[in-house]
Amino acid sequence: MTQTKQKPIYDKSLYAWAAVRLAIGFTFLWAFFDKLLGLGFSTCRDASTNVVNVMCEQSWYQGGSPTAGFLKFATKGPLADFYQGLAGNTFVDMLFMAGLLLIGVALVAGIGMRLATISGVLLMIMMWSSMLLPENNPIIDEHIIYSIILLGLLVSNKQQVWGLRNWWIKQPLVKRLTILE
């Protein structure tokens, strides 16, 4: 009796998850670079003229606070006072920017997905809770949707495509500290 070699079955949804992972990773990276350099989407755009002044005084590079505008003016609801009290805090700014950068890089590269997705969910839940209740729905807004997607990325990551996971999990440090998977 001869054995026939079976073709591996590829789950096409893995490519959809990879595209989502890359898109959300670039979203985090864009937010980081926009706040760092003032690229004019949420930072350094004149509201009245719509003119972008790259590297304006609001950019982190020029000494601005990446959290001050949002935390001072966008927060509302029962936790608004708490979040407004964090506005402009240097430690909060550093944590926020490090989070945006590291989550973005991890998602794009497909490494450190456990920490990246859990950290991303925590960041999204904090942003959601800073604006209670959301404007268009009493519970669900884009932060909750991103959180659900990040959890989907976490559970679908074992068969990752378009990423460095297979190389990453063989690294000695990652083998010792599985939270870095």
Side-chain angles (χ1 to χ4, degrees), residues 7 27 31-33 36 43-44 55 58 69 88 99 106 109 112 130 138 143 156 176:
K7 286 184 181 180
T27 300
F32 170 80
F33 285 111
L36 176 67
T43 310
C44 295
M55 291 192 195
Q58 288 97 359
S130 72
H143 300 100
S156 69
R176 275 193 317 239

Side-chain angles (χ1 to χ4, degrees), residues 3-65:
Q3 284 185 325
T4 57
K5 206 174 195 182
Q6 289 184 338
K7 286 184 181 180
I9 299 172
Y10 294 102
D11 183 355
K12 292 177 184 169
S13 70
L14 297 176
Y15 294 96
W17 280 115
V20 168
R21 176 178 51 80
L22 290 169
I24 292 180
F26 281 119
T27 300
F28 276 94
L29 286 176
W30 180 265
F32 170 80
F33 285 111
D34 183 45
K35 290 176 185 333
L36 176 67
L37 303 173
L39 301 176
F41 283 80
S42 65
T43 310
C44 295
R45 181 179 299 269
D46 186 304
S48 59
T49 64
N50 214 24
V51 171
V52 175
N53 181 11
V54 176
M55 291 192 195
C56 70
E57 63 277 354
Q58 288 97 359
S59 70
W60 202 32
Y61 178 77
Q62 293 293 336
S65 168

Side-chain angles (χ1 to χ4, degrees), residues 11 13-14 47 67 70-71 87 101 125 127 142 151 161 171-173:
D11 183 355
S13 70
L14 297 176
T67 63
F70 176 81
L71 292 176
L101 178 62
I125 296 300
M127 291 178 78
E142 65 274 11
L151 291 173
V161 296
Q171 302 311 303
L173 182 64

